[in-house]
Amino acid sequence: MSDEQRPEMDDAAPILGRWRNLYIAELAILAGFILIFWRLSAAYA
């Protein structure tokens, strides 16, 4: 299958330049939320 038959492979890169960087940022944000909520629940427990 050539690239001409699969136009979705030519999608532009996301905001951070590569999909890998976007997923790393997403995981970092998720870890930040988990840390914030863990600290809040520990503070008010």
Side-chain angles (χ1 to χ4, degrees):
M1 190 173 273
S2 70
D3 288 336
E4 293 174 358
Q5 294 174 335
R6 298 191 65 188
E8 70 272 4
M9 297 298 289
D10 294 331
D11 287 343
I15 295 169
L16 299 177
R18 299 185 66 168
W19 286 106
R20 180 177 167 258
N21 295 342
L22 184 66
Y23 290 131
I24 290 171
E26 182 178 349
L27 288 174
I29 291 168
L30 177 62
F33 278 127
I34 290 171
L35 182 65
I36 288 169
F37 290 129
W38 174 62
R39 298 281 242 168
L40 284 172
S41 65
Y44 292 104

